[in-house]
Structure formats: C-alpha cells, structure tokens
Amino acid sequence: MEKTAKLVVNGKSYELPLVVGTEGEIALDISYLRSETGLITLDPGYANTGSCKSCITFMDGEKGILRYRGYPVEQLAEYSSFRETAYLLINGELPLENELNRFSVMLNDHSLVHEDMHHFFQNFPRRAHPMGILSSMVNALRAFYPEIPERSEEEEINITFTRLLSKVRTMAAMSYKISRGHKIVYPRHDLSYCANFLNMMFDSPVKPYVIDEDLVDALNVFWILHADHEQNCSTAAVRLVGSARVNLYAAISAGICALWGPLHGGANQSVVEMLQEIHDSGGNPAPFIARAKDRDDPFRLMGFGHRVYKTYDPRARIMEKTCNRVLKKLKIHDPLLDIAKRLEEVAVKDAYFIDHDLYPNVDFYSGIVLRAMGIPLNMFPVMFAIGRLPGWISQWKESMEDPKWKLHRPRQVYTGLQERDYVPLNKRG
Ligand code: CMC
C-alpha cells in the first residue's frame, strides 16, 4: 500500500503521510497540512477526525465489533468481572491473581468518603440531578485528597485511579440515600465491588438487603459493557480537558457533565421515559415511529442509532439477554420490555431505520435492567458514569503518557463579519 496520499490544491501537489492501525484502519496524517498548505480541515462533530492513536479499545461500527485491549466484549461480559475489566483497561493486561487481590485491597482501602464531604451531599436541593451532584463532588475530591509530595508520581497516580473507582461508587449510593432522607450505608470490606454498591444503595436498618448473586452478575455485565468506547463524547471531553494539564478529578468531572446529555449517557433514562410514554398512550409504538421519521419533528427514537455503529451495537444484544435473565429471576413482568421488543421488531424492518442504519444501541435495554434492580430513573446516567470510569481513566493515562502530547485546540472556519469600526453608544441604532 502507498505510504502517502496526494493532495492537489490550486495545481500544486502535496504528499500527506498515511497512518495504518493494527486492524487495518487507514488515516491521513494532516498534522502539517496548515504549515505546508495554509489549509485546515473542516469536520463538524469530528465525525471523520481521529484525535489520537490509542491501543485501548477497538470498535468496528460496520461489523459491530467491540474489544478492550484485544479481548472481545462478549468474552469479558461472560467471564470477567467489572473490577478485573477496569484493571485490564487501565493497565493493559489481565491481572495475575496477586495483582487482582492487591487491586481489591486498594479498592477497599479507598472506598470511604471523607466525613466532611457528607455536608455537601446534605445541602444539595432534594431535586438536584444526581449527575450534577456527582460531577461537583468528583471535582471537590481534589480539595479533600490533595497530592502528597512524599509519594512517588506512580504511587500517587495509582492511588488517584483507585480512589476514583472506589469513591465514585460510594458517592453515587450516598447521594441516593440522602435524596430519600435515609441514613447512609457505608461500604463493607467483605463484599465485592458490585455487591457493595447494591448493598450501599438498598440496605436499611429496618430491611436488611439480601445480596442476590444474579443481580451482582447483571451489574458486572452492565458495567463491563459501559467500561470504554474509544473516543466518544465524554471520553473526548476527558482527553480535551485533561490536555490542559488539569488534575484528573477535574477532567473526569468534565466527562461526567458530557455524559449527562440525553444523546449520550442520559439516553438510558430517556429510553425508559419514552417507553413509559408509549405505555401510557395505550402501548402502540407506531405513532412514535412515525414521529421519529418526521423531519419536522425533533423527536428521535431513544436507544436507537449510533455515531459509529451502523449495525447492531454488540452491547445491545448482551444487554437484551441480561434483561431477560434478570426479569425472569426476579419474576418481574415489565410491560415496558414488551413495548421495547415490539418497537424494535417494527423499527428494524422499517425502510427509514434501515436506510439510516439505525439499530438498537446499548441504552435500549439497559434501563429496563436497572429498573428491575430498583435503581431510580434519574440515577441511570450515574450508573453509566460509574461503568465508564475505567475507560476515562485509561484514556487520560494514555494521553498523559503520549510523547507527542499536545494541548487540544481545534481550529475553525470563521464565517462572521469582517473588520469594522467601533460605534459609540449614542451613535448606534
Ligand atoms: N431516531 C430517528 N432518527 C434518527 C435517530 C433516531 N434515534 N438517530 C439518528 N437519526 C437520523 C437523523 O434524523 C438523521 O436523519 P437525516 O439524515 O435524514 O436528517 C440521520 O439519522 C443522522 O443523524 P445524526 O444525528 O447526524 O447522526 P449521529 O451519528 O450524529 O447520531 C446519535 C448519533 C446517537 C446522536 C443519534 O443516533 C441519536 O440521537 N440517537 C438517540 C439517542 C441515543 O440513543 N443515544 C445513545 C447513544 S449509545 C450510548 C453512547 O455511547 O453514548
């Protein structure tokens, strides 16, 4: 294959290097385009822009492939745990037994949240969205856990990673308990990562929570499926904010804010709201499908479509199976699942959805799983955020270790007014 591509502008020709990834993906390296030609590229929404080289996650949107560090997500969902997958993403390899044990001890050691932080949680208005609370509190972590100069840089970074993974989970459960006016449940050293979360959410002095291993498994799968997704909106936000060399807490807080949006991590909440609306209007999905196809109506079928996947999102299939398993185990008949299945059946055969390559994404079934677990609707994006943490951390780490690291600073094509003279206030109008 050629190593360069030729660009001809105004009769002058330029050679642009081609970069080939390990899975054969080819990119045009335009780093010197402006200095050599005076041109920039224009790519709204970065749909065609590779912002970095990365060896963490591989996605093939045409074939519906997702792999973390080379491992298919289907295998990780079946055999791994979220804790182990987090280790894999951050460190690049599956841990040996002693490494995994050490990681668990660290997660346990860092699971408590500074008691002074509890006041912050108490003082948010009761109706504050948990994503707003989480992003603020993650930013505040920096003030409570400043760097210790005696520690080596590597030790400090590892502690920060573990602290985030462990404390964000504790804080999410704390904010839920406080929103209900209930007593906080502290993390327990004898419980696994996922079991601990469920216990902190649902244990109560008047009704002890009984850990259900099937729900723990389902939560592991849910978080594994969300653990990374290469350069998505929130990860790009973490890399971009991190590129200014802010501390990791601030970069992750920016990622949480990006994830909050209904087109990204907020979609799992929007899907359930949409299914509920269909249910309340009699259960027929047809008018909603018609609205989604109407160009004059801003309504979209939530949980459908993806910037990269032009076929089934591989995570959606696993999530659907998990959904069926959880509902069967809990003996729940959720009418929203029936509606979701009917909606999917009709939409995937509809010419509009076929022509636009719109298939169910990870969020289509995940909300029904979370609902069955007892997770309140407004906490769905928080569940996504806990899952995405290992991805954000590993992508931030990779960007910081990149010898070609650069401050992220895109350019633009200016389309505003040309230079004009200032008009004093009394001469305007
Ligand atoms: N329902 C109806 N039409 C849609 C939908 C949808 N869900 N998604 C895209 N389209 C249409 C859109 O109207 C446009 O049509 P046309 O070309 O005729 O004007 C075309 O498809 C392309 O849309 P786009 O917004 O330019 O495509 P995108 O790649 O920017 O969109 C997306 C990706 C996820 C924002 C979009 O599919 C969407 O809004 N989906 C619903 C929200 C959702 O489920 N988000 C979760 C994504 S998965 C979790 C995650 O990784 O964040």
Side-chain angles (χ1 to χ4, degrees):
M1 203 192 76
E2 299 284 334
K3 290 211 166 71
T4 57
K6 196 181 282 177
L7 175 73
V8 181
V9 185
N10 293 333
K12 203 168 164 205
S13 125
Y14 303 90
E15 300 272 318
L16 295 174
L18 291 176
V19 180
V20 186
T22 46
E23 294 285 346
E25 214 166 20
I26 309 167
L28 203 57
D29 182 347
I30 53 139
S31 343
Y32 296 102
L33 184 69
R34 189 167 183 277
S35 59
E36 286 178 11
T37 67
L39 301 174
I40 62 162
T41 53
L42 183 62
D43 181 20
Y46 309 131
N48 262 313
T49 296
S51 60
C52 59
K53 289 186 194 166
S54 177
C55 33
I56 301 171
T57 289
F58 173 68
M59 280 173 77
D60 183 325
E62 275 69 39
K63 295 191 187 131
I65 294 174
L66 175 62
R67 297 184 204 131
Y68 304 154
R69 302 283 189 184
Y71 295 104
V73 73
E74 292 81 359
Q75 290 183 21
L76 292 168
E78 186 154 0
Y79 305 117
S80 184
S81 65
F82 177 63
R83 178 186 53 146
E84 186 185 67
T85 299
Y87 185 101
L88 167 73
L89 280 165
I90 296 169
N91 298 291
E93 291 296 340
L94 285 169
L96 301 173
E97 202 176 339
N98 63 328
E99 291 168 330
L100 190 58
N101 289 341
R102 203 164 49 236
F103 187 44
S104 298
V105 170
M106 278 184 78
L107 285 169
N108 178 53
D109 288 351
H110 291 284
S111 58
L112 287 171
V113 170
H114 200 297
E115 290 288 320
D116 289 351
M117 285 187 92
H118 292 211
H119 304 300
F120 287 95
F121 282 101
Q122 299 285 2
N123 289 317
F124 275 101
R126 281 281 183 264
R127 275 186 293 155
H129 195 285
M131 284 296 262
I133 299 177
L134 192 66
S135 66
S136 316
M137 298 311 284
V138 166
N139 221 342
L141 278 174
R142 165 74 176 186
F144 285 88
Y145 301 95
E147 279 171 23
I148 310 253
E150 291 76 44
R151 284 197 196 122
S152 70
E153 196 182 340
E154 193 189 342
E155 196 185 356
E156 188 65 56
I157 282 180
N158 280 334
I159 288 177
T160 305
F161 293 168
T162 325
R163 215 180 250 152
L164 273 163
L165 287 168
S166 202
K167 289 193 199 311
V168 165
R169 175 197 52 168
T170 307
M171 293 194 306
M174 273 171 75
S175 62
Y176 169 64
K177 282 292 190 193
I178 290 167
S179 74
R180 302 211 56 197
H182 288 179
K183 200 168 170 294
I184 285 165
V185 176
Y186 284 87
R188 269 172 41 188
H189 68 90
D190 57 328
L191 294 180
S192 68
Y193 188 93
C194 293
N196 232 322
F197 175 75
L198 291 172
N199 191 61
M200 284 190 277
M201 285 286 291
F202 301 121
D203 188 45
S204 134
V206 290
K207 196 169 180 209
Y209 185 67
V210 180
I211 309 261
D212 179 332
E213 284 310 322
D214 289 321
L215 286 195
V216 172
D217 285 351
L219 187 54
N220 266 299
V221 170
F222 176 88
W223 276 339
I224 289 170
L225 295 184
H226 287 82
D228 195 39
H229 218 216
E230 52 117 299
Q231 306 313 315
N232 58 86
C233 176
S234 56
T235 302
V238 169
R239 280 194 181 248
L240 184 135
V241 173
S243 82
R245 291 280 194 229
V246 295
N247 64 78
L248 178 59
Y249 299 111
I252 298 286
S253 170
I256 294 171
C257 289
L259 190 75
W260 189 355
L263 296 190
H264 190 16
N268 52 15
Q269 178 174 345
S270 309
V271 170
V272 169
E273 284 164 352
M274 176 188 76
L275 295 173
Q276 189 66 52
E277 208 185 325
I278 300 176
H279 177 261
D280 296 347
S281 67
N284 180 10
F288 291 81
I289 292 181
R291 280 187 65 195
K293 289 157 52 173
D294 181 355
R295 286 236 163 112
D296 298 325
D297 189 330
F299 175 79
R300 286 186 166 198
L301 217 52
M302 300 312 285
F304 262 74
H306 198 273
R307 173 62 63 80
V308 180
Y309 294 122
K310 298 304 162 203
T311 179
Y312 263 90
D313 176 340
R315 303 168 300 172
R317 292 203 189 278
I318 305 170
M319 198 53 87
E320 186 185 0
K321 278 192 208 142
T322 308
C323 185
N324 291 332
R325 234 183 0 251
V326 167
L327 265 59
K328 192 168 166 207
K329 170 69 202 285
L330 297 177
K331 298 194 176 66
I332 293 176
H333 174 244
D334 188 342
L336 298 196
L337 179 61
D338 300 336
I339 292 173
K341 292 197 167 173
R342 270 208 307 279
L343 186 65
E344 177 184 345
E345 213 177 283
V346 180
V348 296
K349 287 188 200 136
D350 187 293
Y352 172 91
F353 289 87
I354 296 170
D355 293 347
H356 286 76
D357 299 322
L358 298 170
Y359 295 90
N361 60 47
V362 67
D363 292 315
F364 195 62
Y365 287 103
S366 67
I368 301 174
V369 177
L370 296 178
R371 206 167 117 97
M373 283 178 181
I375 308 286
L377 193 59
N378 66 355
M379 272 200 64
F380 287 9
V382 169
M383 299 300 287
F384 193 152
I386 300 172
R388 186 52 55 86
L389 261 177
W392 289 333
I393 291 171
S394 51
Q395 301 270 351
W396 177 88
K397 180 170 179 262
E398 188 178 65
S399 71
M400 291 297 129
E401 289 168 356
D402 185 350
K404 294 207 170 147
W405 167 87
K406 262 192 177 322
L407 174 73
H408 287 212
R409 203 315 188 171
R411 286 190 173 261
Q412 63 167 21
V413 175
Y414 176 68
T415 57
L417 294 173
Q418 292 188 318
E419 185 177 357
R420 52 187 177 151
D421 288 327
Y422 178 79
V423 182
L425 188 56
N426 60 0
K427 299 229 166 95
R428 288 175 216 162

